[in-house]
Amino acid sequence: MLRNSLEWRRQHKIDTIRDDLKPSEVLTNYVSASLVGRDKTQSPLWITRYGRMDMKGVLRSAKKRDFIMYVVYLVETSIWRVISDSQKYRRSPDTMVQTTVIFDLEGLSMQHITNKQAVDAAIKIIQIYEANYPEYLSRVFVINAPKVFSIAYPILKPFIHERTRDKIKIFGHDSKQWKAAILAEVDPEELPAAYGGSMTDPDGNPNCITIVNMGGEVPKSYYFSCKPDTANKKTLSVSSGSKEHLEFQVDKAGSVLKWNFHCEDGDIVFAVYRKQGSALIPIVPADRVDCQMSPEEGELDCDETGVYVVEFDNGFSYLRSKKIWYAISVESAAVRGADGISLD
């Protein structure tokens, strides 16, 4: 598990994500999640107002992958802030960082539950947590859970490890009940007044929206405006339940394999391999990519010569074939350095 986690961190450049990732306005302004204070063990306290988030709008304005990596970015930023301020969080250097989360479902509706992109993103975030941050959570207070949550939770529950489920406390709309539970573990001065504490914004707002936003409807001006451009792209049809391979010869080490593709209807699993005899060595791990509204772009530094295989896999779809529009090329490092463009 540790080896896989280290490899995941390497592949996704997690150690530098705080500096490298530049979140879009949609993510910073309409994803409601933030570090707000500390619990009684001096561990970080987070509030996520998921019920107030317009997930349909967010995922029509940002790629699902970008949303997921933004969540990872928030987690890594929280860990860094705790480690960097041992006096505030009163921890020894070798103590594991854990966090308490208030997960507010006020406003949750069937729109959240029936949106496939939102459900897929939630499952992927859970999988990333379980594989890479299994002890990061101390306690989760799920509050204001409406009746429709009884439909959503069984969908997510199989992906949540039992040790994690034991840390989750679920409450309905009885604020007296969940406020008492939260205050048993969080001092009032570390908690917004809306959740039973004494913190307010300078103007007296009990929700402390200067610290954690209220989500809200994403303006349609942020939406991806049109279908991706098909100019200078080739097409490839991938039948339902099957996969297609494209081979590219790399004659010089240090060359760059670049790709830009989108799927005409739906998503596709994308991967890159290097041929070694009859075997295919994974270079870019297989990942299900939502690229209907905007193209998927990336590049790979080819440290070794040989044949590189780009794979488009539609094995998860039993009914629909997929049409892929793609532009894939092998360029020398000199060309990449000249144009200054990085698509990673």
Side-chain angles (χ1 to χ4, degrees), residues 261-280:
F261 67 87
H262 69 271
C263 186
E264 196 164 278
D265 185 20
D267 51 6
I268 196 76
V269 174
F270 174 79
V272 179
Y273 304 89
R274 180 172 53 80
K275 271 191 171 182
Q276 185 172 299
S278 59
L280 292 178

mmCIF file of all heavy atoms in Angstrom, residues 261-280:
data_model
loop_
_atom_site.group_PDB
_atom_site.id
_atom_site.type_symbol
_atom_site.label_atom_id
_atom_site.label_comp_id
_atom_site.label_asym_id
_atom_site.label_seq_id
_atom_site.Cartn_x
_atom_site.Cartn_y
_atom_site.Cartn_z
ATOM 1 N N PHE A 261 -6.905 15.154 -27.002
ATOM 2 C CA PHE A 261 -8.020 14.361 -27.523
ATOM 3 C C PHE A 261 -9.295 14.685 -26.773
ATOM 4 O O PHE A 261 -9.273 15.212 -25.655
ATOM 5 C CB PHE A 261 -7.714 12.856 -27.431
ATOM 6 C CG PHE A 261 -7.631 12.313 -26.034
ATOM 7 C CD1 PHE A 261 -8.764 11.866 -25.360
ATOM 8 C CD2 PHE A 261 -6.400 12.227 -25.384
ATOM 9 C CE1 PHE A 261 -8.689 11.361 -24.070
ATOM 10 C CE2 PHE A 261 -6.311 11.736 -24.088
ATOM 11 C CZ PHE A 261 -7.455 11.296 -23.438
ATOM 12 N N HIS A 262 -10.399 14.381 -27.396
ATOM 13 C CA HIS A 262 -11.684 14.446 -26.707
ATOM 14 C C HIS A 262 -12.590 13.354 -27.251
ATOM 15 O O HIS A 262 -12.365 12.809 -28.338
ATOM 16 C CB HIS A 262 -12.346 15.819 -26.848
ATOM 17 C CG HIS A 262 -12.828 16.151 -28.225
ATOM 18 N ND1 HIS A 262 -12.041 16.771 -29.173
ATOM 19 C CD2 HIS A 262 -14.028 15.964 -28.827
ATOM 20 C CE1 HIS A 262 -12.724 16.958 -30.280
ATOM 21 N NE2 HIS A 262 -13.939 16.470 -30.094
ATOM 22 N N CYS A 263 -13.583 13.026 -26.453
ATOM 23 C CA CYS A 263 -14.540 11.979 -26.799
ATOM 24 C C CYS A 263 -15.843 12.646 -27.231
ATOM 25 O O CYS A 263 -16.328 13.559 -26.560
ATOM 26 C CB CYS A 263 -14.762 11.072 -25.593
ATOM 27 S SG CYS A 263 -15.782 9.625 -25.921
ATOM 28 N N GLU A 264 -16.382 12.214 -28.347
ATOM 29 C CA GLU A 264 -17.560 12.879 -28.894
ATOM 30 C C GLU A 264 -18.782 12.719 -27.994
ATOM 31 O O GLU A 264 -19.647 13.591 -27.936
ATOM 32 C CB GLU A 264 -17.858 12.345 -30.301
ATOM 33 C CG GLU A 264 -18.807 13.211 -31.085
ATOM 34 C CD GLU A 264 -18.784 12.904 -32.574
ATOM 35 O OE1 GLU A 264 -17.900 13.407 -33.282
ATOM 36 O OE2 GLU A 264 -19.663 12.135 -33.005
ATOM 37 N N ASP A 265 -18.847 11.626 -27.263
ATOM 38 C CA ASP A 265 -20.022 11.393 -26.409
ATOM 39 C C ASP A 265 -19.615 10.560 -25.205
ATOM 40 O O ASP A 265 -19.484 9.350 -25.301
ATOM 41 C CB ASP A 265 -21.112 10.688 -27.214
ATOM 42 C CG ASP A 265 -22.399 10.522 -26.419
ATOM 43 O OD1 ASP A 265 -22.565 11.258 -25.438
ATOM 44 O OD2 ASP A 265 -23.216 9.663 -26.776
ATOM 45 N N GLY A 266 -19.410 11.215 -24.068
ATOM 46 C CA GLY A 266 -19.086 10.480 -22.861
ATOM 47 C C GLY A 266 -17.607 10.509 -22.526
ATOM 48 O O GLY A 266 -16.882 11.417 -22.905
ATOM 49 N N ASP A 267 -17.147 9.475 -21.802
ATOM 50 C CA ASP A 267 -15.757 9.431 -21.359
ATOM 51 C C ASP A 267 -15.064 8.196 -21.906
ATOM 52 O O ASP A 267 -15.678 7.333 -22.548
ATOM 53 C CB ASP A 267 -15.683 9.466 -19.832
ATOM 54 C CG ASP A 267 -16.587 8.415 -19.178
ATOM 55 O OD1 ASP A 267 -17.179 7.601 -19.920
ATOM 56 O OD2 ASP A 267 -16.703 8.411 -17.943
ATOM 57 N N ILE A 268 -13.755 8.108 -21.645
ATOM 58 C CA ILE A 268 -12.943 7.009 -22.161
ATOM 59 C C ILE A 268 -11.789 6.775 -21.191
ATOM 60 O O ILE A 268 -11.356 7.704 -20.500
ATOM 61 C CB ILE A 268 -12.395 7.341 -23.577
ATOM 62 C CG1 ILE A 268 -11.882 6.072 -24.294
ATOM 63 C CG2 ILE A 268 -11.345 8.421 -23.522
ATOM 64 C CD1 ILE A 268 -12.988 5.195 -24.814
ATOM 65 N N VAL A 269 -11.303 5.546 -21.117
ATOM 66 C CA VAL A 269 -10.132 5.244 -20.294
ATOM 67 C C VAL A 269 -8.887 5.425 -21.157
ATOM 68 O O VAL A 269 -8.786 4.858 -22.247
ATOM 69 C CB VAL A 269 -10.189 3.813 -19.726
ATOM 70 C CG1 VAL A 269 -8.895 3.482 -18.994
ATOM 71 C CG2 VAL A 269 -11.378 3.666 -18.777
ATOM 72 N N PHE A 270 -7.950 6.206 -20.654
ATOM 73 C CA PHE A 270 -6.733 6.548 -21.399
ATOM 74 C C PHE A 270 -5.515 6.034 -20.646
ATOM 75 O O PHE A 270 -5.446 6.110 -19.420
ATOM 76 C CB PHE A 270 -6.647 8.065 -21.564
ATOM 77 C CG PHE A 270 -5.359 8.552 -22.182
ATOM 78 C CD1 PHE A 270 -5.158 8.485 -23.550
ATOM 79 C CD2 PHE A 270 -4.351 9.101 -21.385
ATOM 80 C CE1 PHE A 270 -3.980 8.945 -24.122
ATOM 81 C CE2 PHE A 270 -3.172 9.560 -21.938
ATOM 82 C CZ PHE A 270 -2.988 9.486 -23.314
ATOM 83 N N ALA A 271 -4.536 5.501 -21.399
ATOM 84 C CA ALA A 271 -3.288 5.029 -20.794
ATOM 85 C C ALA A 271 -2.176 5.083 -21.834
ATOM 86 O O ALA A 271 -2.436 5.108 -23.046
ATOM 87 C CB ALA A 271 -3.443 3.610 -20.255
ATOM 88 N N VAL A 272 -0.939 5.103 -21.354
ATOM 89 C CA VAL A 272 0.222 5.042 -22.238
ATOM 90 C C VAL A 272 1.151 3.945 -21.731
ATOM 91 O O VAL A 272 1.421 3.852 -20.523
ATOM 92 C CB VAL A 272 0.990 6.378 -22.286
ATOM 93 C CG1 VAL A 272 2.213 6.256 -23.193
ATOM 94 C CG2 VAL A 272 0.087 7.512 -22.762
ATOM 95 N N TYR A 273 1.638 3.115 -22.664
ATOM 96 C CA TYR A 273 2.549 2.020 -22.347
ATOM 97 C C TYR A 273 3.805 2.135 -23.203
ATOM 98 O O TYR A 273 3.820 2.820 -24.224
ATOM 99 C CB TYR A 273 1.896 0.664 -22.614
ATOM 100 C CG TYR A 273 0.595 0.424 -21.891
ATOM 101 C CD1 TYR A 273 -0.621 0.805 -22.460
ATOM 102 C CD2 TYR A 273 0.574 -0.196 -20.644
ATOM 103 C CE1 TYR A 273 -1.826 0.588 -21.800
ATOM 104 C CE2 TYR A 273 -0.632 -0.422 -19.975
ATOM 105 C CZ TYR A 273 -1.823 -0.029 -20.566
ATOM 106 O OH TYR A 273 -3.010 -0.251 -19.914
ATOM 107 N N ARG A 274 4.848 1.432 -22.781
ATOM 108 C CA ARG A 274 6.043 1.269 -23.616
ATOM 109 C C ARG A 274 6.227 -0.214 -23.888
ATOM 110 O O ARG A 274 6.147 -1.029 -22.974
ATOM 111 C CB ARG A 274 7.282 1.848 -22.922
ATOM 112 C CG ARG A 274 8.567 1.709 -23.760
ATOM 113 C CD ARG A 274 9.716 2.468 -23.110
ATOM 114 N NE ARG A 274 9.896 2.100 -21.724
ATOM 115 C CZ ARG A 274 10.532 1.005 -21.308
ATOM 116 N NH1 ARG A 274 11.038 0.143 -22.200
ATOM 117 N NH2 ARG A 274 10.658 0.764 -20.020
ATOM 118 N N LYS A 275 6.454 -0.541 -25.148
ATOM 119 C CA LYS A 275 6.637 -1.940 -25.519
ATOM 120 C C LYS A 275 7.992 -2.447 -25.034
ATOM 121 O O LYS A 275 9.014 -1.771 -25.199
ATOM 122 C CB LYS A 275 6.547 -2.108 -27.044
ATOM 123 C CG LYS A 275 5.159 -2.360 -27.569
ATOM 124 C CD LYS A 275 5.203 -2.777 -29.020
ATOM 125 C CE LYS A 275 3.831 -3.252 -29.504
ATOM 126 N NZ LYS A 275 3.880 -3.704 -30.910
ATOM 127 N N GLN A 276 7.972 -3.614 -24.459
ATOM 128 C CA GLN A 276 9.209 -4.287 -24.063
ATOM 129 C C GLN A 276 9.056 -5.748 -24.445
ATOM 130 O O GLN A 276 8.469 -6.533 -23.707
ATOM 131 C CB GLN A 276 9.466 -4.129 -22.570
ATOM 132 C CG GLN A 276 10.801 -4.693 -22.108
ATOM 133 C CD GLN A 276 11.099 -4.336 -20.662
ATOM 134 O OE1 GLN A 276 11.191 -3.167 -20.327
ATOM 135 N NE2 GLN A 276 11.225 -5.344 -19.817
ATOM 136 N N GLY A 277 9.551 -6.080 -25.621
ATOM 137 C CA GLY A 277 9.292 -7.402 -26.163
ATOM 138 C C GLY A 277 7.818 -7.532 -26.481
ATOM 139 O O GLY A 277 7.237 -6.689 -27.168
ATOM 140 N N SER A 278 7.186 -8.549 -25.924
ATOM 141 C CA SER A 278 5.749 -8.731 -26.137
ATOM 142 C C SER A 278 4.921 -8.101 -25.014
ATOM 143 O O SER A 278 3.696 -8.125 -25.066
ATOM 144 C CB SER A 278 5.421 -10.226 -26.226
ATOM 145 O OG SER A 278 5.811 -10.902 -25.032
ATOM 146 N N ALA A 279 5.608 -7.539 -24.028
ATOM 147 C CA ALA A 279 4.908 -6.966 -22.881
ATOM 148 C C ALA A 279 4.686 -5.468 -23.059
ATOM 149 O O ALA A 279 5.417 -4.786 -23.776
ATOM 150 C CB ALA A 279 5.700 -7.223 -21.601
ATOM 151 N N LEU A 280 3.657 -4.961 -22.386
ATOM 152 C CA LEU A 280 3.380 -3.536 -22.361
ATOM 153 C C LEU A 280 3.643 -3.026 -20.941
ATOM 154 O O LEU A 280 2.991 -3.453 -19.992
ATOM 155 C CB LEU A 280 1.924 -3.249 -22.755
ATOM 156 C CG LEU A 280 1.540 -3.547 -24.211
ATOM 157 C CD1 LEU A 280 0.052 -3.258 -24.433
ATOM 158 C CD2 LEU A 280 2.383 -2.715 -25.178
#
